[in-house]
Structures are given as C-alpha cells and as structure tokens.
Amino acid sequence: RKAKTDLRRTVDDLNREFADRERDMRERLVRDVTAVVRAYGQKNGYVLIMEVRAGGVMLGSDQADLTKEITAAYDASPGSEKK
C-alpha cells in the first residue's frame, strides 16, 4: 500500500513538473515569436500583423499570410535553436 501511494505521489510530481516545463517553454516561444514578428513588421513597414487563429480573422487572402516569412525569420533569429 505504501509503495502504491509513493508511486502515485511520484507520478503526480512528475506530471506537475512536466506541466510547468511545458508552460515555461510555451511562454518562451510566444515571447520569442512576438519579438520576431515585431522586428519583421517594423523592418517591412507593417502597421498591423494579426494572428489568425486567436485574432478573430474570418477571411484573409493567401497573399496576406506571413506564416512562411515569420517562420523563416524566427528560424534565423539568434537563440531560436531551430526548434
């Protein structure tokens, strides 16, 4: 019984640690991508760049999609580590 309780605690601890690390990685990624998007926008004269999934955009032309350009800029940025 004690072994089962210990195992359950270990699993719970590991799950919390995993969730914490995942949250930290996600926050870092969002921070890094935001910096890249801002730099890209300023360099290329954009006044607005929207994230389609979270921004409420219902329709946008393929020509306005900057995903490939932003991904390339992120990959080229220092510290991106080619995730």
Side-chain angles (χ1 to χ4, degrees):
R1 184 166 195 118
K2 181 178 176 356
K4 188 174 182 181
T5 301
D6 289 346
L7 178 61
R8 185 168 293 149
R9 284 183 185 156
T10 299
V11 168
D12 289 345
D13 289 346
L14 289 172
N15 282 335
R16 272 191 296 276
E17 183 179 339
F18 176 77
D20 289 346
R21 286 185 182 192
E22 183 180 34
R23 185 194 67 245
D24 292 345
M25 289 174 65
R26 186 176 295 119
E27 287 173 357
R28 182 175 145 213
L29 179 62
V30 167
R31 191 173 48 246
D32 292 349
V33 169
T34 299
V36 168
V37 169
R38 286 178 187 218
Y40 181 90
Q42 288 174 348
K43 178 182 175 186
N44 293 285
Y46 286 91
V47 294
L48 177 68
I49 297 176
M50 298 180 69
E51 199 284 319
V52 174
R53 285 174 270 159
V57 176
M58 298 182 72
L59 175 67
S61 73
D62 290 341
Q63 296 154 329
D65 187 352
L66 299 175
T67 303
K68 290 180 184 175
E69 292 85 349
I70 297 298
T71 301
Y74 174 78
D75 288 345
S77 68
S80 71
E81 301 171 10
K82 307 294 183 209
K83 295 176 193 75

